[in-house]
DNA sequence: TAAAATCACTTGTATATACAAGTTATTATT
DNA sequence: AATAATAACTTGTATATACAAGTGATTTTA
């Protein structure tokens, strides 16, 4: 199934350099090739290279110093749930296992939800699912995902074990994640969290309420993520 | 005391539009003037306008749609401690009061700290301070700030009441904040937090460990922020 | 020899231009 | 009147170019 989408060249440059940092072709602490050299390498002009580097700076892969060059910082450490790509890519799929608690099913919206829903979203109802995610066999994330029930054929019958929700949305429905907003708070564990995380009542748990924006206008995903940060803390750049 | 720094025009465009969104000259839900119109308005070219808009998109002030325009999203709601500018600008200085718990003083580094320090940083020692911050008279943030003791004359004798640390660093020492990395976790309140937040022992509190990068190479600020999220949650974009 | 000036590099800012591609209103067609 | 084509907008991508400004090594000067 070819997408037919042409990949912009700044994206190619970004992805390649990112991969090279990941694979330690460009090693931590060293200087990246100069912008001019990258231009020659990728047959693009400086603004294009700079757009790619800007993204890498934002995500913490590199750091720039005027007059000196771009220093490779390496892969952002920790669990980068605050980044756009979601949990899976951030800590490496190898160490993340997913267990479905509630299979995707059509429901009415939880009215206790934090974000205001549009009338259209309320009408549609939502696809609801719950997942528990393990990092190195420890339950670390418990997440509730709600997606407006808008023209996503066969969605509820798909398998999500060890698959990224975002990947499925992109491949089968051409939905791209573009960013989002989130609330972050600390709370005590309730019965559900006690059960899944194996902690005492009131144990401090991180909660994230997220509204995720997509390439489809007025189409948002909603998720509530609970994290047990006892062993794995969240990490982010700003 | 004139800084002598020339402000880049993309910055001027960014600041002006940002201000206009804040002052509701550009109202939420409406379309921003087109990039072309902004070019005429500010006497700059499109790449310059786009650079300003990119920053506004990143911070959640606007959202762009190809073929349509840039939609004004309004001021990012909540307490945007995850953003680069710090607490003060995020919730509006009017509602934030600061109380100094420990005045800036020279100390050796807390060795229990999370980030690895360089030898140079260890030698220098650090300027240490503790602050309690109130939002609408409620104690919400308790933060410990550590700054390498590197050529910051008279720093320990300055007043920090209701002043932004970042502003002081910029105005008096020409130190600009460029970004940073942070860990986020949920933890139970200890005796100190109980005292300042007026909560029970073990009450869930958000903790942020931050390393803040500056325009001076190898000069970082370190801070540990504790947040009582019972009434005011943190907010961020990704 | 030590300090100052220069040069060659780096990234930062800005312009001018072109075309691709998505959206919306208008116009022409059926 | 409903539909299709078009035109006029919008943002997205990309090039080519120029100069400013920070860094570090080299060369010149005192």
């Amino acid at each position: 199934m070819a997408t037919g989408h042409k990949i912009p060249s700044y994206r190619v440059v970004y992805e390649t350099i990112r991969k090279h940092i990941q694979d330690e072709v460009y090693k931590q602490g060293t200087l990246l090739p100069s912008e001019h050299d990258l231009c020659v390498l990728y047959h693009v002009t400086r603004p294009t290279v700079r757009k790619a580097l800007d993204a890498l700076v934002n995500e913490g892969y590199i750091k720039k110093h005027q007059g000196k060059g771009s220093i490779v910082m390496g892969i952002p450490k920790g669990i980068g749930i605050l980044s756009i790509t979601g949990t899976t890519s951030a800590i490496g799929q190898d160490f993340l296992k997913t267990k479905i608690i509630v299979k995707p099913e059509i429901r009415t919206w939880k009215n206790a939800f934090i974000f205001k829903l549009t009338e259209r979203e309320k009408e549609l109802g939502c696809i609801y699912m719950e997942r528990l995610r393990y990092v190195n066999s420890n339950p670390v994330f418990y997440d509730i995902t709600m997606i407006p029930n808008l023209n996503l054929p066969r969605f509820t019958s798909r398998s999500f074990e060890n698959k990224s929700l975002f990947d499925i949305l992109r491949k089968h429905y051409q939905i791209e994640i573009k960013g989002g907003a989130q609330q972050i708070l600390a709370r005590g564990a309730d019965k559900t969290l006690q059960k899944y995380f194996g902690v005492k009542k009131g144990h401090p748990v991180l909660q994230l309420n997220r509204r995720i924006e997509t390439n489809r206008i007025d189409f948002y995903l909603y998720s509530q993520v609970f994290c047990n940060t006892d062993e794995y803390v969240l990490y982010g750049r700003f």
Side-chain angles (χ1 to χ4, degrees), chain A:
Chain A
M1 190 195 279
T3 54
H5 288 351
K6 189 194 152 197
I7 298 166
S9 52
Y10 77 86
R11 255 286 162 192
V12 175
V13 177
Y14 163 84
E15 296 287 358
T16 310
I17 296 175
R18 186 183 179 280
K19 192 81 178 32
H20 283 172
I21 292 173
Q22 208 161 48
D23 300 344
E24 296 192 47
V25 177
Y26 297 141
K27 290 187 180 63
Q28 196 169 33
T30 63
L31 286 176
L32 223 57
S34 74
E35 294 178 354
H36 173 267
D37 290 352
L38 291 170
C39 292
V40 175
L41 261 169
Y42 294 101
H43 308 289
V44 292
T45 52
R46 202 149 83 90
T48 305
V49 163
R50 285 180 65 82
K51 183 152 188 184
L53 295 185
D54 280 351
L56 291 167
V57 168
N58 276 334
E59 291 160 26
Y61 286 95
I62 63 169
K63 220 163 82 180
K64 298 178 88 174
H65 283 288
Q66 188 175 5
K68 206 177 177 191
S70 301
I71 298 165
V72 177
M73 303 305 286
I75 304 156
K77 289 177 196 77
I79 300 171
I81 200 168
L82 299 169
S83 72
I84 187 169
T85 38
T87 40
T88 312
S89 70
I91 60 172
Q93 207 151 5
D94 297 339
F95 307 100
L96 192 83
K97 290 263 177 288
T98 305
K99 187 179 165 187
I100 309 292
I101 305 296
V102 175
K103 281 190 183 177
E105 57 181 41
I106 312 288
R107 280 201 194 181
T108 54
W109 292 92
K110 250 181 155 181
N111 50 2
F113 208 56
I114 334 95
F115 296 102
K116 275 178 230 155
L117 297 171
T118 62
E119 284 306 315
R120 179 158 170 71
E121 282 174 323
K122 282 181 198 161
E123 283 169 25
L124 291 168
C126 78
I127 298 166
Y128 181 97
M129 65 187 289
E130 293 182 17
R131 293 178 297 179
L132 188 57
R133 287 147 171 264
Y134 298 80
V135 181
N136 295 329
S137 304
N138 301 305
V140 173
F141 299 107
Y142 171 66
D143 71 66
I144 298 169
T145 305
M146 283 167 278
I147 308 171
N149 182 24
L150 167 63
N151 191 26
L152 300 174
R154 290 187 299 133
F155 188 85
T156 52
S157 60
R158 290 193 186 278
S159 158
F160 286 90
E161 308 281 347
N162 299 320
K163 276 182 195 164
S164 165
L165 171 61
F166 292 169
D167 284 345
I168 288 172
L169 286 170
R170 194 182 62 245
K171 283 181 190 160
H172 299 285
Y173 306 102
Q174 288 78 49
I175 292 172
E176 301 270 356
I177 306 306
K178 295 194 79 175
Q182 64 188 354
Q183 294 179 344
I184 305 178
L185 57 136
R187 54 162 293 165
D190 60 10
K191 273 199 173 174
T192 310
L193 297 173
Q194 277 181 64
K195 180 177 155 194
Y196 291 128
F197 289 153
V199 294
K200 289 181 187 169
K201 191 186 167 188
H203 187 88
V205 171
L206 207 72
Q207 178 176 341
L208 294 94
N209 303 317
R210 321 177 91 185
R211 191 174 76 162
I212 300 160
E213 296 153 10
T214 69
N215 56 338
R216 290 202 196 171
I217 190 163
D218 292 332
F219 183 75
Y220 300 98
L221 315 181
Y222 298 91
S223 85
Q224 209 162 30
V225 183
F226 301 92
C227 313
N228 180 1
T229 57
D230 293 350
E231 296 205 36
Y232 299 94
V233 302
L234 295 194
Y235 179 94
R237 286 195 55 81
F238 58 97

